[in-house]
Amino acid sequence: MKVTVVVPTYRRVEDLDRCLAALREQTRPAEEVLVTIRNDDAESTALVEQSARGWPSLRAVPVKRPGVVAAMNAALAAVTGDIYALTDDDAEPHRDWLARIVPIFEQQPGVAAVGGRDDQVGAPGDKTTVGKLQWFGRIIGNHHVGAGPAREVDVVKGVCSAFRMSALREIGFDERLRGSGAQVHWELSLCLALARAGWRLVYDPAIRVRHHVGTRHDADQLHRGRFAVEPHENAVYNETLVLAEHLRGARRVAFKLWASAIGTAVEPGVLQVPRAFLRDGFGALTRWRATQRARGEGFRDARR
């Protein structure tokens, strides 16, 4: 099987340089490496053009619209390989990254997505529950601290993932999702759609990248320790839209009740507010109002 590696980037040229160096050192090289670059990112364009002089399989794919979904779909239109391997520009794949990914697709024809662990400095411990969607709609991630053998999951994480092109072309990346940068929960949308189509998804913590968690140049700083209303609402809306469409019957009702009454510390329901208020003061009320406003919009648009 032929592999295309896709690296969406935007104004993180030092991170991109490190990522490309790691891809060039793969023990199983990719047949093609595509870097998606926005039209206003001259530095990244120059880096890729310079690197491509001694690396024929490397090329840039221009992107006119902001957001990672537009970038990934632009690459999808240009891919020539059988496997669409994806990583972030602030990640550094281990040398055996592709060597571990490819055999899973070759040996298991029912697998459409493969994910791995994105090691982060200071991340706590190891977890065995990774990439699971609980029956009532709560998502458990833990991809960055996953441990144990390879196993089936509900969701893989984009920074360390790969997809079978025959399955991916049928679905594509969800253009409805809100956001101008990360468009949080695009993985959830794609993975649940693959599962509905009958495909299996595998997570193997031996497949690794080192995730340096670089600076973002948009309003989305949710995973950088800063809260802002608009990107928070975008993330909650995306999650709600996808889950409200995916869950059926009693599961959808349970999700709606859980999300409005309980939720999580990050996306609180009403019962979380007193505890959050003790921790964050009046900021907890702002987060709760933003969460519930976006929940309502997500459920409304799912009904449509």
Side-chain angles (χ1 to χ4, degrees), residues 197-210:
W199 293 98
R200 293 163 47 229
L201 296 81
V202 171
Y203 173 83
D204 185 351
I207 299 169
R208 294 195 173 195
V209 302
R210 180 169 182 149

Side-chain angles (χ1 to χ4, degrees), residues 20-280:
L20 292 178
L23 291 174
R24 199 161 188 174
E25 293 297 318
Q26 292 293 297
T27 57
R28 194 284 186 200
E31 280 75 19
E32 181 178 51
V33 178
L34 303 180
V35 181
T36 62
I37 306 177
R38 294 250 293 272
N39 292 342
D40 60 345
D41 188 357
E43 277 193 288
S44 297
T45 300
L47 172 63
V48 172
E49 288 177 349
Q50 180 182 5
S51 301
R53 291 171 190 160
W55 191 358
S57 58
L58 172 67
R59 61 190 174 99
V61 175
V63 184
K64 295 180 180 179
R65 292 184 293 122
V68 71
V69 168
M72 293 186 299
N73 275 331
L76 183 58
V79 164
T80 62
D82 306 298
I83 297 171
Y84 184 116
L86 181 67
T87 192
D88 291 353
D89 57 2
D90 62 352
E92 189 177 1
H94 286 208
R95 294 184 73 245
D96 62 353
W97 185 58
L98 292 177
R100 290 182 178 274
I101 288 173
V102 175
I104 298 176
F105 287 109
E106 291 180 334
Q107 296 166 15
Q108 302 186 53
V111 171
V114 174
R117 174 167 168 155
D118 61 310
D119 292 310
Q120 299 176 26
V121 174
D126 291 336
K127 304 288 185 181
T128 55
T129 303
V130 175
K132 302 302 290 185
L133 175 63
Q134 294 182 295
W135 71 272
F136 56 89
R138 180 171 175 258
I139 304 163
I140 301 175
N142 290 335
H143 299 87
H144 63 304
V145 289
R151 65 272 201 183
E152 290 190 33
V153 294
D154 299 316
V155 184
V156 299
K157 188 174 180 180
V159 64
C160 185
S161 63
F163 304 92
R164 188 181 298 273
M165 279 297 300
S166 59
L168 183 57
R169 284 200 191 279
E170 293 293 319
I171 296 170
F173 300 98
D174 195 342
E175 294 277 0
R176 303 170 303 162
L177 301 183
R178 293 180 179 178
S180 60
Q183 292 171 283
V184 179
H185 296 303
W186 69 260
E187 298 104 325
L188 182 68
S189 177
L190 174 59
C191 290
L192 294 184
L194 289 170
R196 284 196 301 274
W199 293 98
R200 293 163 47 229
L201 296 81
V202 171
Y203 173 83
D204 185 351
I207 299 169
R208 294 195 173 195
V209 302
R210 180 169 182 149
H211 195 181
H212 296 277
V213 191
T215 301
R216 279 186 179 156
H217 298 285
D218 64 353
D220 180 12
Q221 304 295 325
L222 291 175
H223 299 103
R224 272 75 176 166
R226 296 197 298 275
F227 172 80
V229 170
E230 182 181 356
H232 178 77
E233 288 187 355
N234 290 339
V236 175
Y237 171 86
N238 293 345
E239 178 189 70
T240 305
L241 176 68
V242 171
L243 290 177
E245 289 181 341
H246 177 75
L247 300 173
R248 294 287 184 267
R251 294 185 70 194
R252 180 188 286 185
V253 173
F255 170 56
K256 193 168 187 177
L257 292 174
W258 171 80
S260 61
I262 302 173
T264 67
V266 175
E267 299 174 350
V270 67
L271 297 180
Q272 293 271 7
V273 173
R275 184 174 68 174
F277 186 83
L278 293 175
R279 183 182 66 242
D280 302 327

